[in-house]
Structures are given as C-alpha cells and as structure tokens.
Amino acid sequence: MASISDSSLSALALASRDLYAAVRRDAPLVQCLTNFVSMNTAANTLLAIGASPAMVHAAEEAPEFAAISGAVVINIGTLSTPWLDSMLLTAAAAARAGRPWVLDPVAHHATAFRRDAVRRLLDLRPAVIRGNASEIIALAGGRSASRGVDARDPVQQAEQAARELARTRGTVVAVTGEVDFVTDGQREVRVTGGSPLMPRVTATGCALTATVGAFAAVAGDDAYAAAVAALSCFGIAGQRAGALADGPGSFAWRFLDALAALESDSLIHASPLR
C-alpha cells in the first residue's frame, strides 16, 4: 500500500477535530435499528460523545423517523423477519431523505437468512460499512475463519477485501480490530489506539458503529472522514480507559467517561492515525 503523507494525516486529524466539535455543538439525532444486546451501550456511547440516540425500529414508524434523523444505523445482531422488514424500509427512507445510513453486518456469513438480509441491505447503498475482519472478508466474497460474531481473521488480511468492497459498492469500509483500517476505495488509513479490553466488553463494536453514524450526520458527503473521526475517538478513549482499568468491568465505565472527557484538540495532539 502506498504510504500516507504527513499532510494527509494532518488534514484527517483536523477534519476529525472539526467533526467532533460539530457533534458536540449540534447533538445530531442518530436513529439506531440495533440489536437487543447493544441498545443500552450504544445509547450511552452516543450520549457520551454528545449525540442524541433514538432506538426507533418498528416498521410502523421507523421509516418516517428516518427523515427527521441526522443519520440511521442498522445492525443485524439479533435479526428477525419483522426487524429486517423495518431495516429495509428505513434504509430506503433514509436514502430518499438524503440521510446517511451505516451498516453493521454482524455475523452476516453465519446463516442463509443473514446472508440474504445483508445482500438486500447492501443494494440500498449504505454510506459506511463497519465490521470486523472476518465479516468484511466474507462480505467481499472471501472465506473467513469465523463461525459467529467474533473475528478470527487479522485486520491486515481483510484490507484488500475492504478496498474491493468499497470500490464495488461505492461506500466507505471500516475494518476494526487491533489496528483499524478505513478505505473508500481510493483513500485509506490505519487507526491505532484502543485497548485489549475492548473486545471483552459486550457491544463495544456495535457502539462504535452508532458513533460512526453520529459523525456521518455532521460530515456532509464525506463519510470517509466521519468513519476516521469515530475510530479516532474510540482509539484515544479506549487507550486512556485501558491504562486505568483493572478489567473489563471497570474498563466499561472508564471508557464512557473517557469519551465524555474528550476535547476536540485531543484528536490532533493525540491523534492515533497512522
């Protein structure tokens, strides 16, 4: 991969700072059609960064609600037919209203139902896809080592799959793991930071997807910058929380506190972009 110039990294860091300041200023409304396991964590994470969560998922109202949201987040973790129907209607409504929507294809490769659901959602053109390495490899048509929600493949192994998926689908792909990777098919960057405790806390990845939605809501057409900013916030907050935590329990609340304590300048001076 071609190296990324210092000027490009500086521009990304500045964009991340500005987007973070915009989230704090505007408190964007983020509609989350997410799984039962992650609802509370995702909502608290959005509140910690200054956004406004809305867990509106019923088919009777979710599509209408998309038009008043800043962004929509769709996570298929606890998928069912009624949820899928609502997700499809809401993603289409978000597109009609000009609202970005973010897809988290949780364990989409595990069953035929999930594979079909993600195929139909992809056709509705998400602005960002956020997944672990195994999910992204499988989404691009490759063979992953995972059998469920956990990643069994390293991020580096998913980078080419992410590039191909971004180019084919015209979207931004964020692959998260020990070192995150973000690409829109042309630009790409790795984001370091975080803590080994993050995968040991339920719904951290789902909350990250919701955070991508918050940044997408204030990023205009630059979903790439939105994904990088969200991952940067998580990288910095995770690193700070991990340095003080005794285990996953204390990490969970310390991480929320670290997110809430972030200042926009920290995304420049402590930017984990590489």
Side-chain angles (χ1 to χ4, degrees):
M1 183 183 77
S3 62
I4 301 170
S5 69
D6 289 341
S7 61
S8 295
L9 290 178
S10 296
L12 274 174
L14 286 167
S16 294
R17 180 202 65 178
D18 292 344
L19 289 176
Y20 182 75
V23 169
R24 291 281 181 163
R25 181 188 68 240
D26 299 342
L29 181 62
V30 184
Q31 181 182 0
C32 299
L33 286 76
T34 191
N35 64 75
F36 294 115
V37 177
S38 72
M39 283 186 185
N40 187 66
T41 301
N44 282 335
T45 299
L46 287 170
L47 289 170
I49 65 165
S52 178
M55 304 311 184
V56 178
H57 64 267
E60 292 81 2
E61 63 171 347
E64 180 182 357
F65 199 88
I68 64 171
S69 299
V72 172
V73 174
I74 293 178
N75 176 307
I76 67 165
T78 50
L79 193 63
S80 67
T81 296
W83 275 67
L84 176 57
D85 291 344
S86 183
M87 289 171 178
L88 294 168
L89 291 170
T90 305
R96 288 194 301 271
R99 304 292 189 265
W101 73 277
V102 181
L103 174 63
D104 192 333
V106 180
H108 69 91
H109 48 296
T111 66
F113 179 49
R114 288 176 178 271
R115 289 191 294 273
D116 179 66
V118 165
R119 177 188 59 78
R120 296 169 68 186
L121 286 165
L122 283 175
D123 287 343
L124 295 172
R125 301 179 64 83
V128 183
I129 301 169
R130 201 294 306 173
N132 64 42
S134 297
E135 290 162 347
I136 298 304
I137 289 170
L139 204 59
R143 182 179 295 275
S144 79
S146 177
R147 292 178 294 178
V149 299
D150 296 325
R152 299 291 182 90
D153 301 282
V155 170
Q156 187 174 5
Q157 192 169 319
E159 289 184 0
Q160 185 55 34
R163 295 183 190 105
E164 294 172 359
L165 186 61
R167 291 168 187 154
T168 300
R169 290 290 181 173
T171 188
V172 172
V173 179
V175 191
T176 53
E178 186 174 350
V179 177
D180 303 330
F181 178 75
V182 185
T183 182
D184 63 0
Q186 301 298 322
R187 299 171 291 177
E188 55 190 49
V189 70
R190 296 185 182 92
V191 182
T192 60
S195 165
L197 290 171
M198 295 178 88
R200 298 176 61 190
V201 177
T202 299
T204 303
C206 302
L208 173 54
T209 305
T211 303
V212 173
F215 280 91
V218 298
D221 294 330
D222 199 350
Y224 176 76
V228 173
L231 269 60
S232 297
C233 285
F234 260 57
I236 296 167
Q239 196 168 41
R240 292 176 178 176
L244 299 172
D246 297 317
S250 60
F251 175 84
W253 66 261
R254 289 185 187 277
F255 178 65
L256 281 179
D257 283 354
L259 280 175
L262 277 179
E263 297 180 356
S264 60
D265 284 351
S266 67
L267 272 70
I268 295 178
H269 301 306
S271 175
L273 302 175
R274 294 290 185 270

